[in-house]
Amino acid sequence: MYDPTVARLTYRALLGRRRALVLGALPLLLIVIAMIVRGLTGADDQVAADVLGGFALATMVPIIGVIAGTGAIGPEIDDGSVVYLLSKPLKRPAIIFTKLIVAIAVTMVFSAVPTLIAGLILNGNGQNIAVAYTVAALVASIAYSALFLLLGTVSRHAVVFGLVYALVWEALFGSLVSGARTLSVQQWALAVAHKVAGGDLVTSDVGLTTATVLLVVVTVAATWFAGWKLRSLTLAGEE
């Protein structure tokens, strides 16, 4: 299911000079903010949780997921170069699975690693805050990558739709409408982080069991549908 050649081409596309600069901007900003906050407030567990939850998990992780998930396949579909890939003797689900693995890896590196670094800077992992939000970023990276890879497969405006979901649905409606939080990757990841932290500084509106089931279902369903859509694109081209 994993093709090294497809993976290498996808890594090259995602980590090109321009996209790498965009991917690295938010993590760098998070670390700078953490250093400034630590200098101003000292080691404060609540402040650390607020910064990691409010910026790292709520903003940085989904945006990086959008860039990596849609960028893993969207540009190839837009410019038509996906035809060359589909002409190779590769199973379509294998192509999607490989691109998903690459998108997950890139999202994790550019989101979970800086989250851990920022957490250590903010409070030295007091009350396990840094590790809890790092785990949340890792979990969210998987679901976001699958969702946004699907968007990149089905829409030419995947980046726009991805940003609308991440910044409008999760950040805006998620903070105003309690029911919307149940359908939020951020809240599912926070449920896992709450279990890791084991305190009251990290909270979620979704239970751990529900969050785990939804994370698995959404990831698997999005990956399967993306593979099915890619298969249908092949059939349309052959016709």
Side-chain angles (χ1 to χ4, degrees):
M1 290 295 289
Y2 181 85
D3 186 271
T5 301
V6 174
R8 185 174 64 254
L9 293 174
T10 307
Y11 275 119
R12 185 180 301 172
L14 286 178
L15 299 179
R17 182 176 302 178
R18 182 178 302 178
R19 188 169 276 113
L21 289 175
V22 176
L23 284 170
L26 284 175
L28 180 60
L29 178 59
L30 172 63
I31 293 173
V32 170
I33 290 174
M35 295 173 64
I36 294 174
V37 171
R38 177 61 185 265
L40 294 176
T41 66
D44 187 298
D45 295 339
Q46 183 62 62
V47 171
D50 291 341
V51 172
L52 296 180
F55 182 79
L57 191 61
T59 303
M60 183 186 72
V61 179
I63 290 180
I64 291 176
V66 169
I67 297 172
T70 60
I73 196 169
E76 292 176 298
I77 294 178
D78 291 342
D79 62 20
S81 61
V82 71
V83 173
Y84 297 100
L85 182 61
L86 297 179
S87 66
K88 304 298 181 181
L90 295 171
K91 294 182 179 180
R92 305 311 175 241
I95 294 174
I96 290 296
F97 182 77
T98 301
K99 288 183 173 294
L100 175 62
I101 295 300
V102 173
I104 289 173
V106 170
T107 306
M108 285 182 172
V109 169
F110 283 91
S111 61
V113 174
T115 297
L116 178 60
I117 295 173
L120 294 175
I121 292 172
L122 286 165
N123 75 334
N125 195 37
Q127 297 196 50
N128 222 24
I129 296 299
V131 171
Y133 276 102
T134 299
V135 172
L138 290 171
V139 170
S141 295
I142 299 173
Y144 281 133
S145 296
L147 280 173
F148 298 138
L149 179 65
L150 171 60
L151 281 178
T153 306
V154 302
S155 174
R156 291 181 178 272
H157 307 289
V159 174
V160 175
F161 291 139
L163 290 176
V164 167
Y165 171 81
L167 301 180
V168 177
W169 177 264
E170 292 208 341
L172 180 59
F173 285 95
S175 62
L176 298 177
V177 183
S178 58
R181 298 169 191 162
T182 305
L183 301 177
S184 167
V185 174
Q186 177 188 339
Q187 291 297 322
W188 304 342
L190 282 172
V192 179
H194 173 71
K195 178 65 175 180
V196 174
D200 297 329
L201 289 176
V202 183
T203 60
S204 174
D205 293 327
V206 182
L208 179 61
T209 301
T210 302
T212 303
V213 171
L214 289 173
L215 282 166
V216 173
V217 168
V218 166
T219 301
V220 172
T223 304
W224 176 86
F225 191 74
W228 176 84
K229 180 62 177 177
L230 194 63
R231 194 180 302 119
S232 70
L233 287 176
T234 306
L235 293 175
E238 291 173 350
E239 292 173 357

